[in-house]
Amino acid sequence: MPEMFTWEFATDPYPAYGWLREHSPVHRTKLPSGVEAWLVTRYADAKQALADQRLSKNPAHHDEPAHAKGKTGIPGERKADLMTHLLNIDPPDHTRLRRLVSKAFTPRTVAEFAPRVQELTDTLIDRFAAGGEADLIHEFAFPLPIYAICDLLGVPREDQDDFRDWAGMMIRHGKGPRGGVARSVKKMRGYLLELIHRKRENPGEDLISGLIRASDHGEHLTENEAAAMAFILLFAGFETTVNLIGNGVYALLRNPEQRERLQASLAAGESDLLDTGVEELLRYDGPVELATWRFATRPLTIGGQEIAAGDPVLVVLASADRDPERFRDPDVLDLGRRDNQHLGYGHGIHYCLGAPLARLEARTALATLLRRLPDLRLGADPADLRWRGGLIMRGLRTLPVEFTPVRTDGSSKL
């Protein structure tokens, strides 16, 4: 049995997941937090579990002592009264809340946002293009989705840097001061409630104004529901995209023949390989390693393993998407892969609402980087790179790159 949840495992968890798929596909383990949970590692079992209504998203079903119940969600969300969001609820509330926000993330709505994403992308690249080197996480992959989701939510431009600071603290996972994550979540909640009050008096065309206006069968969102919804859209909407862009660029730099293939396709004015390429990057080393928590509401069987009521279940997306029973040559990056029903954005009623926006941001980011910085290369030994140690997400702490400096006119602004 390979050792899990070490720094070595964080760097490359795929061999350990391969062992589990073969020898213990539904595996009970003690997590670093002390909570015991089942890990589901095969594709077929994962797909079944993601859609199984006997697995609830509501932490109230967790059959653990009260002191352990706060260890299964986003740090600080319970104390900040931000629990009533899409990742923690089941139908019918999930159905109602999801319907209220889904129109903000339709392909058509997202397509209308494309020029703003392109503008943000170019502005961020302008800031470091002349220097010949950058940390692509801190200077590019992190700010891009933050500013984009702030624009969508309707956070005024002058407040967006505060959001960037809070978000940075939230994804540092223990690297910041003790309790910093919970403090940032609390500050964000306070700000969101204040913003909701302002939008109620002076609504705009943004998502928070839409949440305030929206009613479903005469039933309005409560203020807490609106704040929790805005919070999870921000939280889920930026960290996944940070990692999608960061992991994606890193995979391309480690697979130069695939990167050159994509650059040639983009130079020819084609978009097909970019589209299939983003899906392949999601499958190959996606931003979400484990799907968010589920809890058995009654006894059930997954992959031949009996699971008791109250047990936590974690579906390992990173393992399912490398399952050789489902994907041919799963450890090979193939940007043109067609048969690619990956689980990178989940499956079933909790399928990622923001997937169209994340795909737009990833396509824009990758295409623009490769076009504007064609000789982009790693600026550090891969062995020296560190991956963040969180349980759910998979992403690099830093991604140093080098390239031939490019002069810009410096006129663009966020």
Side-chain angles (χ1 to χ4, degrees):
M1 169 74 203
E3 199 173 354
M4 299 177 73
F5 311 119
T6 62
W7 283 114
E8 293 76 15
F9 173 81
T11 300
D12 183 10
Y14 296 105
Y17 290 146
W19 189 94
L20 286 176
R21 279 193 308 269
E22 191 171 342
H23 299 283
S24 185
V26 181
H27 181 77
R28 190 171 174 89
T29 189
K30 182 175 274 195
L31 303 169
S33 64
V35 174
E36 291 201 359
W38 294 98
L39 301 181
V40 179
T41 59
R42 286 180 180 167
Y43 182 92
D45 297 336
K47 196 167 181 181
Q48 175 213 322
L50 290 171
D52 196 321
Q53 295 189 0
R54 295 169 298 177
L55 292 174
S56 168
K57 300 291 289 174
N58 188 338
H61 291 291
H62 187 190
D63 184 26
E64 279 276 327
H67 71 85
K69 287 198 174 185
K71 296 180 178 178
T72 60
I74 298 166
E77 67 177 0
R78 187 178 294 267
K79 280 187 180 171
D81 200 13
L82 287 169
M83 294 290 287
T84 52
H85 58 66
L86 290 173
L87 296 185
N88 283 344
I89 56 175
D90 303 316
D93 282 341
H94 177 271
T95 313
R96 174 177 66 92
L97 292 179
R98 188 173 173 112
R99 191 183 300 133
L100 289 177
V101 292
S102 60
K103 52 182 166 288
F105 293 99
T106 63
R108 180 180 170 184
T109 311
V110 168
E112 290 169 0
F113 197 54
R116 177 60 180 155
V117 173
Q118 185 65 62
E119 181 187 4
L120 285 169
T121 302
D122 280 317
T123 299
L124 290 168
I125 294 174
D126 285 348
R127 291 179 174 181
F128 59 76
E133 61 181 22
D135 171 6
L136 274 192
I137 301 297
H138 179 71
E139 297 177 68
F140 185 66
F142 175 68
L144 174 60
I146 281 282
Y147 291 131
I149 201 75
C150 279
D151 277 356
L152 264 186
L153 286 171
V155 176
R157 298 272 165 95
E158 62 269 21
D159 296 343
Q160 292 187 3
D161 284 333
D162 285 339
F163 258 77
R164 181 178 170 165
D165 291 344
W166 297 330
M169 184 62 73
M170 284 162 63
I171 69 168
R172 252 167 237 155
H173 294 313
K175 282 306 233 189
R178 188 172 172 77
V181 175
R183 276 198 300 277
S184 292
V185 169
K186 194 174 178 183
K187 284 179 185 171
M188 200 173 274
R189 178 183 185 268
Y191 175 84
L192 287 169
L193 282 172
E194 180 193 320
L195 186 61
I196 286 165
H197 281 302
R198 292 196 332 237
K199 299 280 185 188
R200 184 160 274 136
E201 294 178 9
N202 188 17
E205 290 305 308
D206 52 83
L207 185 48
I208 288 181
S209 298
L211 286 176
I212 293 166
R213 277 193 300 266
S215 65
D216 191 29
H217 306 298
E219 198 177 329
H220 291 271
L221 278 172
T222 67
E223 234 166 55
N224 260 354
E225 283 177 336
M229 179 68 78
F231 166 72
I232 200 59
L233 291 174
L234 180 92
F235 187 83
F238 88 87
E239 191 171 5
T240 49
T241 311
V242 175
N243 296 345
L244 173 54
I245 295 170
N247 297 5
V249 171
Y250 182 61
L252 290 174
L253 296 180
R254 299 296 307 277
N255 291 269
E257 72 296 335
Q258 291 295 311
R259 172 258 191 89
E260 287 161 16
R261 184 183 173 195
L262 180 55
Q263 281 179 305
S265 170
L266 292 169
E270 299 162 359
S271 63
D272 275 7
L273 194 64
L274 180 64
D275 293 344
T276 58
V278 167
E279 299 310 306
E280 175 68 346
L281 293 168
L282 278 160
R283 182 202 69 80
Y284 178 77
D285 199 8
V288 183
E289 190 166 340
L290 285 79
T292 49
W293 295 83
R294 284 165 168 77
F295 306 94
T297 56
R298 53 183 187 268
L300 71 151
T301 303
I302 302 175
Q305 178 66 57
E306 292 180 9
I307 291 170
D311 280 359
V313 174
L314 289 164
V315 177
V316 188
L317 305 179
S319 174
D321 283 343
R322 294 275 191 115
D323 187 344
E325 292 290 312
R326 176 59 186 82
F327 299 100
R328 185 177 176 185
D329 298 326
D331 296 322
V332 172
L333 181 71
D334 174 10
L335 297 184
R337 191 184 293 268
R338 292 281 170 191
D339 178 20
N340 195 1
Q341 296 293 311
H342 63 77
L343 300 176
Y345 282 127
H347 174 68
I349 63 166
H350 289 281
Y351 182 83
C352 176
L353 190 66
L357 178 61
R359 287 182 166 111
L360 168 68
E361 290 173 351
R363 284 196 299 261
T364 307
L366 294 174
T368 310
L369 272 176
L370 293 177
R371 177 172 49 80
R372 293 191 56 184
L373 308 175
D375 64 344
L376 193 70
R377 57 195 177 274
L378 271 177
D381 186 324
D384 294 334
L385 297 179
R386 290 289 171 263
W387 295 78
R388 286 204 300 273
L391 183 67
I392 300 296
M393 301 290 185
R394 173 164 172 76
L396 287 160
R397 290 184 185 277
T398 59
L399 181 54
V401 293
E402 297 169 349
F403 47 86
T404 301
V406 180
R407 293 190 63 175
T408 65
D409 62 10
S411 63
S412 53
K413 292 182 176 63
L414 285 174

